[in-house]
Structure formats: C-alpha cells, structure tokens
Amino acid sequence: MTEKKRQRMSRLERREQLIGIARALFAGHGYDAVSIEEIAANAGVSKPVIYEHFGGKEGLYQVIVDRETQAVGALLADSLGPDIAPRAALERAIYGLFDYIDANPDGFSLLIHQSPNARDGAGFSTILSDIGDYLTSLLTPYFTQLGLNDDAAPLYAQMLAGLVGLTGQRWASVREPGKRELAAHVVNLIWNGLHALEREPRLGTIE
C-alpha cells in the first residue's frame, strides 16, 4: 500500500506553524542562538519559505513578540475601568500579570529577552513600557488627588514597572512563593509606598 500524500498546508496554516516553532525556539535558546536554518529544519521547509512569510528572522521574531505584548496589553486594559477603584485595579493588574507568566512562560521569556534590533523597531513595545503606560494612567489622577506633582507620575510608573518586571522574571524561574502570595507582597509595597510619598522628596543624608 502506498503512503498517502501529505496534505499541503494553506498559507495561513504554514504561517502559524512557523510562528509556533520559532516561538518555542526563541524562548528556549534566545534570539541570537536560533538560526533561520534551525527554524526551517524544525518546520520541514526551506529557508525561502520563511523569508517569503516574514522577510527574515527579525521579521518573524517581531511578529511573535508583538503578539505577546498585545496579550499583555489586553490583560492590563481589562484591569482598568471607570468603575474599578485604584486598589482593586492595581491588584487585578499585578495578579493578572503573574497569571500570564504562569500560563505563558515561553511568551514572558520572549518579552524579557528581546533582540536589540527588534527593540529598536518603529512602534515596538516592551512589557515594561506597557506596564509603565498603564501605571501612569493609574497614578496621574491619584497624584492629583493627593496634591502631588503629577508630572512625576510617569517616572514613578516606570520605576514600579521595573519592580514588577524583575519580580516576574525571578518568579518565572523559581515559582516561589505562590502566585497569590507574591502578588499580595508586590501590591503591599506599591500601594503602601504610594500612600507615604512626600510632596517634595529630598535626600536627607547627602549634602
């Protein structure tokens, strides 16, 4: 009996196959360590097929990371709404991010280990800038309410985004403490730290 001829993939199916294979390879080995040849070999195609779909490794990587940033952006958007109190919004955003890391370790690995060239692309967004933008929108009215300089809100937002990103990066490896406990500790530091902000911060021990 002759073996049945393998059914050809549609263009969309091939594109999704390449994205899935490359996503796993990039997450496991890093951008620089993965070659077009390796992606093509794992997909059972020739290199020109990848160039046809994405223009090269950089283009393929960009598509993958953009998908992840959109997923994180949607998660953050769901945490922010007109009827959600600031504390509740912060809790939902922080816990949601750790939930994303838990369910998508490969995706998070891609977001925190981007290629330098991909990061410089027009309109390219990283997970930290997404979190920073979200926290800025959350902090600005809060600063105004407390009589603080709301021009400083983006600065504080980026500092907090770095805290959340680095904490998430460590937790992705060790997975301790539990997700809910970790989120509670992060919210505790952010929320109670914000409540004690000085209106005109100064260094008290350095002349």
Side-chain angles (χ1 to χ4, degrees), residues 56-85:
K57 186 173 80 165
E58 179 73 26
L60 175 54
Y61 191 87
Q62 183 80 47
V63 169
I64 294 168
V65 179
D66 280 351
R67 284 191 177 189
E68 297 301 327
T69 55
Q70 287 169 12
V72 176
L75 180 155
L76 295 177
D78 287 343
S79 302
L80 185 62
D83 299 324
I84 303 176

Side-chain angles (χ1 to χ4, degrees), residues 14-206:
R14 178 65 73 190
R15 180 181 175 85
E16 292 302 315
Q17 180 214 25
L18 292 171
I19 289 173
I21 289 171
R23 183 180 186 271
L25 290 172
F26 286 137
H29 306 292
Y31 176 84
D32 293 330
V34 177
S35 67
I36 284 285
E37 289 83 0
E38 185 177 5
I39 298 170
N42 277 269
V45 300
S46 61
K47 289 193 297 181
V49 173
I50 297 176
Y51 287 107
E52 177 188 347
H53 281 271
F54 304 101
K57 186 173 80 165
E58 179 73 26
L60 175 54
Y61 191 87
Q62 183 80 47
V63 169
I64 294 168
V65 179
D66 280 351
R67 284 191 177 189
E68 297 301 327
T69 55
Q70 287 169 12
V72 176
L75 180 155
L76 295 177
D78 287 343
S79 302
L80 185 62
D83 299 324
I84 303 176
R87 169 75 187 235
L90 181 63
E91 288 188 1
R92 289 173 59 173
I94 299 301
Y95 184 80
L97 176 63
F98 293 138
D99 201 32
Y100 165 82
I101 296 171
D102 192 23
N104 301 279
D106 283 355
F108 185 70
S109 178
L110 285 165
L111 289 170
I112 60 176
H113 296 111
Q114 298 169 24
S115 75
N117 291 335
R119 195 181 303 120
D120 293 336
F124 193 84
S125 177
T126 68
I127 186 173
L128 294 186
S129 67
D130 281 350
I131 296 173
D133 290 344
Y134 164 77
L135 289 174
T136 297
S137 68
L138 194 65
L139 290 180
T140 299
Y142 180 73
F143 273 39
T144 302
Q145 179 184 345
L146 295 181
L148 300 172
N149 179 10
D150 58 16
D151 289 340
L155 175 62
Y156 282 88
Q158 288 301 323
M159 289 189 286
L160 294 176
L163 181 156
V164 173
L166 290 174
T167 302
Q169 184 176 353
R170 179 183 180 277
W171 185 75
S173 299
V174 300
R175 298 302 177 103
E176 292 181 355
K179 181 170 50 180
R180 190 176 185 86
E181 181 182 350
L182 176 65
H185 282 300
V186 173
V187 170
N188 183 36
L189 176 61
I190 293 176
W191 185 255
N192 290 307
L194 289 173
H195 270 66
L197 286 179
E198 299 174 347
R199 295 193 177 188
E200 297 184 8
R202 302 178 186 275
L203 298 179
T205 61
I206 300 176

